[in-house]
Amino acid sequence: GADLSGAHLVGANISGGILVGANLGGAMLKGIRNLASAQFDNLRGAILDGADLTGVDLTGKDLSGTRFRGCLNLGSATLDGADLAGVNLCGVDFCGASLKGCKLGGAKGLRQAKFGNLCGAILDGVDLTGVHLTKKDLSGTRFGGCLNLGSATFDNLRGAILEGADLAGVDMTRKDLSGTR
């Protein structure tokens, strides 16, 4: 694949582009358009500041070290099985995105991120300090080893997987726990 590491593709329209095998580490993809129709292996270390990621299929992609500053819309994106470990997600809008099996361990800025649903997400080891999870579908979401679950706000844990979760300080009063393991 092409070595595009460090390339400046600011504002580029990559509609239908084939980037399979390309090294995009550190590539500046600021304001890039039509990424949804491009083909690529991963975006590890890419700079996606201001990129429009609406509807992008990031299934199983390695996004570790990727920068999303100003990338406020991942609506209707598919992030199933994607690796977002250690990524700063402050201000990112995940409403309508699919996060089944998405790895968010060590992700930062979750308190300022917006989530439509977290059905099936893997939150093992994620710091949930101040994260708002009210009115979210948490069925199948794994909370193993979560940090500060007690400071997160939620109205239900219906169908959630709490095996290995630290439940100290979690207020279970009037919470729907049906199907929780």
Side-chain angles (χ1 to χ4, degrees):
D3 184 1
L4 297 174
S5 58
H8 289 269
L9 303 172
V10 177
N13 180 346
I14 61 167
S15 178
I18 299 174
L19 302 170
V20 175
N23 178 359
L24 295 168
M28 174 68 77
L29 303 173
K30 184 175 182 176
I32 199 161
R33 300 182 318 267
N34 295 316
L35 190 60
S37 65
Q39 298 174 34
F40 52 90
D41 291 328
N42 72 65
L43 292 170
R44 179 181 49 244
I47 300 168
L48 297 172
D49 297 352
D52 180 6
L53 300 178
T54 304
V56 173
D57 184 357
L58 298 170
T59 301
K61 303 296 186 226
D62 182 355
L63 301 168
S64 57
T66 300
R67 200 169 85 186
F68 290 96
R69 196 174 299 146
C71 175
L72 301 178
N73 193 353
L74 276 164
S76 69
T78 304
L79 294 145
D80 298 346
D83 185 353
L84 289 166
V87 173
N88 187 341
L89 301 172
C90 182
V92 175
D93 185 350
F94 289 100
C95 291
S98 177
L99 297 163
K100 291 179 182 139
C102 183
K103 298 168 189 76
L104 293 165
K108 299 166 188 67
L110 287 174
R111 186 169 57 181
Q112 295 85 13
K114 298 174 188 161
F115 295 99
N117 100 47
L118 288 168
C119 178
I122 300 171
L123 302 179
D124 295 348
V126 173
D127 185 350
L128 293 174
T129 302
V131 175
H132 300 285
L133 300 173
T134 54
K135 298 185 171 119
K136 307 295 181 221
D137 180 358
L138 301 173
S139 57
T141 302
R142 275 188 7 203
F143 289 92
C146 271
L147 305 173
N148 303 310
L149 184 58
S151 75
T153 57
F154 54 91
D155 51 3
N156 81 78
L157 286 170
R158 183 178 43 252
I161 302 168
L162 299 174
E163 295 165 10
D166 180 2
L167 300 175
V170 176
D171 180 6
M172 299 291 191
T173 309
R174 293 187 294 278
K175 305 287 192 263
D176 182 350
L177 300 173
S178 57
T180 301
R181 298 187 287 178

